[in-house]
Amino acid sequence: MSDTSNRQALVIGASRGLGLVLAGELAGRGWQVIATTRQGGGELQANADASHGRLWVESLEMTSADDLAALRARLAGTRLDLRFVNAAIDRGDLPIGEVPTGMFTEVMITNALSPLRTVEALRDLVAPGGTVAVMSSEQGSISRNTEEGYELYKASKAALNQLMRSYATRNADDGQTKLLIDPGHNQTRLGGPDAPLDPKESIPAVVDVLEAQAGAPGLQFLDRHGETVPW
């Protein structure tokens, strides 16, 4: 996908961290980018103001059905070549038996249910041959869960992967590329300041994967190098 001059992307959850860098990287490569945030202003809006029309901002609280419906209405008629859903929270490192019910519900709604609701709600905006991508994590790999810790976060990402697999199975004939992306352990609010990766280095590799996989059939779970992550 070398010609991006007329390509359009929607990045859900771009106010900071990986989503912010992703929206900027796509715009820098010539994509037209719509980026969502829960609150206006900030670095995302500053980037949009300096983008010469390549990047613009929409408001969305992804966990709100009303907000999703309003965004869908505002984007009516838009044809997307890429829709990327980026959202995750972490509420600490507790053994699952110590996780309060409210915390479990909050993390599962944000990390698993809401991303797939967003995928479903905006499904028909993606052009035939376009890409539907969701930010996952190696932490969601059941076969690689061999170290202690962060049980709720891991469970939420495994649930996300399973729901995306169900979505892909149900929509196997729609001609859209479907990707779960593991960006690695990055220095973000979620990943912490001591993480080994800088988003400004890892996200360009992620975009390389998105562009290289455009048009590929089925669902794949890939890392930032384009290598398959085991389920």
Side-chain angles (χ1 to χ4, degrees):
M1 189 194 300
S2 58
D3 179 13
T4 59
S5 58
N6 295 313
R7 299 280 180 173
Q8 186 151 255
L10 171 63
V11 179
I12 303 290
S15 61
R16 63 177 186 267
L18 299 177
L20 177 68
V21 179
L22 176 63
E25 178 68 20
L26 288 166
R29 296 191 188 199
W31 288 70
Q32 297 283 343
V33 181
I34 307 164
T36 75
T37 178
R38 290 181 298 171
Q39 297 178 335
E43 190 173 353
L44 179 62
Q45 187 60 58
N47 290 351
D49 293 342
S51 72
H52 304 290
R54 284 287 176 190
L55 171 64
W56 65 98
V57 179
E58 288 282 353
S59 175
L60 176 67
E61 169 51 71
M62 191 182 64
T63 61
S64 165
D66 289 342
D67 264 25
L68 262 179
L71 178 66
R72 174 64 186 81
R74 294 196 301 273
L75 296 182
T78 302
R79 303 306 291 164
L80 299 171
D81 299 284
L82 168 66
R83 183 188 54 201
F84 199 110
V85 181
N86 171 59
I89 60 172
D90 175 28
R91 291 295 182 254
D93 185 10
L94 293 174
I96 196 64
E98 298 177 15
V99 172
T101 300
M103 181 189 294
F104 182 91
T105 302
E106 179 192 19
V107 171
M108 284 293 183
I109 288 174
T110 302
N111 292 5
L113 178 60
S114 294
L116 266 294
R117 278 182 171 171
T118 302
V119 166
E120 295 275 14
L122 306 178
R123 176 174 176 264
D124 63 343
L125 298 180
V126 180
T131 298
V132 176
V134 179
M135 195 76 84
S136 186
S137 170
E138 181 187 34
Q139 300 270 4
S141 170
I142 293 174
S143 62
R144 287 188 177 176
N145 184 10
T146 58
E147 296 181 3
E148 294 182 6
Y150 297 94
E151 296 176 17
L152 176 54
Y153 181 78
K154 290 175 179 177
S156 72
K157 285 299 187 178
L160 171 72
N161 292 353
Q162 184 75 294
L163 291 173
M164 189 63 178
R165 173 61 74 87
S166 296
Y167 172 85
T169 300
R170 183 161 29 87
N171 296 289
D173 298 327
D174 64 5
Q176 295 174 356
T177 297
K178 302 172 185 72
L179 300 172
L180 286 159
I181 298 293
D182 165 31
H185 187 190
N186 282 266
Q187 297 165 15
T188 63
R189 183 179 297 183
L190 184 66
D194 297 325
L197 298 175
D198 183 338
K200 293 181 180 178
E201 297 175 353
S202 60
I203 288 299
V206 167
V207 176
D208 288 344
V209 172
L210 296 173
E211 292 185 341
Q213 293 296 328
L219 171 66
Q220 299 180 80
F221 185 12
L222 302 175
D223 67 16
R224 68 188 186 282
H225 304 297
E227 300 295 327
T228 298
V229 181
W231 295 92

